[in-house]
Amino acid sequence: MNNREFVRRRHALMRLMGKGAVAILPAAPARLRNRDVEYPYRQDSDFQYLTGFAEPEAVLVLVPGREKGEFVLFCRDPDPTREIWDGKRAGPVGAMQDYAADEAFSINDIDEILPAIVEQCDRVYYTIGAHPEFDSKLIGWVTELRSRGGAHAPEEFIALDPLLHDLRLFKSRSEVSALKKSIRIAVDAHKRAMAYCQPGIHEYEL
């Protein structure tokens, strides 16, 4: 899927949010299978829907009307040694070049950069409870802002899920095309399985 589809989705979400808001969505974490071996990585469905970015340790930030750019992405820095084991990393430069981020920063700098973005907003769209570790960081940033004299802090926390999931119900032409292709593949697979099916055969044999 090309970047235009992801751009369309982000713009549709930001129109619903309106100016003065910020949406924050962390990527799915990597999961250990045993010791230092991880399960094959699967991105959070909402994160994938909005970015197409398939790496862990990333945070999507959308800020409608922000002068420096509405789509901000925090992600891992390139690391040639780790990439031997974990696969290639886009890095901040790749996030802008390949995923159309307006600005991209190292995930290591999120504590310095994201609170300043949040400080400019009145409403935070974020789903509490989905990412417990990040919940603590975000609440800590807002608490710090509220404790500082003269600092502005968001007045509302709004769950992102209902807004985003309602948006995902309405499919674009490219999404409908992808669904039709998926259905054709599934139908063909079932027909092939039915052709080999006979009394007494086990499911695993198909």
Side-chain angles (χ1 to χ4, degrees):
M1 190 173 294
N2 60 47
N3 275 328
R4 285 180 295 180
E5 182 68 22
F6 297 113
V7 170
R8 181 196 67 77
R9 294 169 179 176
R10 292 192 295 268
H11 284 173
L13 177 59
M14 287 190 285
R15 281 196 297 272
L16 295 174
M17 292 164 52
K19 290 186 177 181
V22 57
I24 302 172
L25 180 62
R31 302 291 187 186
L32 281 178
R33 187 180 68 181
N34 59 287
R35 296 187 181 271
D36 60 348
V37 178
E38 297 176 350
Y39 285 103
Y41 183 69
R42 185 189 185 281
Q43 185 59 277
D44 174 85
S45 295
D46 290 337
F47 198 98
Q48 178 72 24
Y49 177 80
L50 291 172
T51 67
F53 192 78
E55 296 181 25
E57 297 182 69
V59 176
L60 160 70
V61 180
L62 296 178
V63 193
R66 181 173 178 264
E67 290 184 5
K68 293 183 179 180
E70 297 179 315
F71 171 30
V72 181
L73 188 63
F74 293 89
C75 60
R76 300 176 301 181
D77 290 313
D79 184 333
T81 302
R82 287 307 315 170
E83 288 176 41
I84 293 172
W85 304 99
D86 303 332
K88 185 173 175 58
R89 299 181 178 188
V93 173
M96 291 187 288
Q97 291 180 346
D98 301 330
Y99 296 92
D102 296 312
E103 283 195 302
F105 304 98
S106 168
I107 192 69
N108 297 323
D109 296 330
I110 195 168
D111 291 323
E112 288 72 42
I113 296 172
L114 187 49
I117 295 176
V118 171
E119 185 178 3
Q120 305 302 315
C121 302
D122 298 317
R123 304 181 307 284
V124 177
Y125 283 85
Y126 175 80
T127 301
I128 298 287
H131 303 274
E133 286 189 20
F134 197 85
D135 291 356
S136 300
K137 292 173 73 72
L138 180 57
I139 292 169
W141 293 333
V142 174
T143 300
E144 172 66 20
L145 288 173
R146 288 176 176 171
S147 69
R148 287 188 349 222
H152 176 270
E155 299 173 355
E156 294 181 82
F157 272 77
I158 305 168
L160 178 61
D161 285 4
L163 200 65
L164 181 53
H165 294 172
D166 283 349
L167 184 64
R168 290 178 58 183
L169 293 174
F170 298 91
K171 308 301 183 185
S172 67
R173 289 183 179 179
S174 63
E175 288 173 311
V176 171
S177 177
L179 286 169
K180 288 180 177 179
K181 181 178 179 180
S182 176
I183 290 167
R184 286 195 298 270
I185 292 170
V187 168
D188 289 344
H190 277 80
K191 286 181 177 178
R192 290 178 63 186
M194 290 166 64
Y196 287 98
C197 188
Q198 55 185 317
I201 197 171
H202 296 284
E203 183 178 357
Y204 71 86
E205 296 178 86
L206 295 175

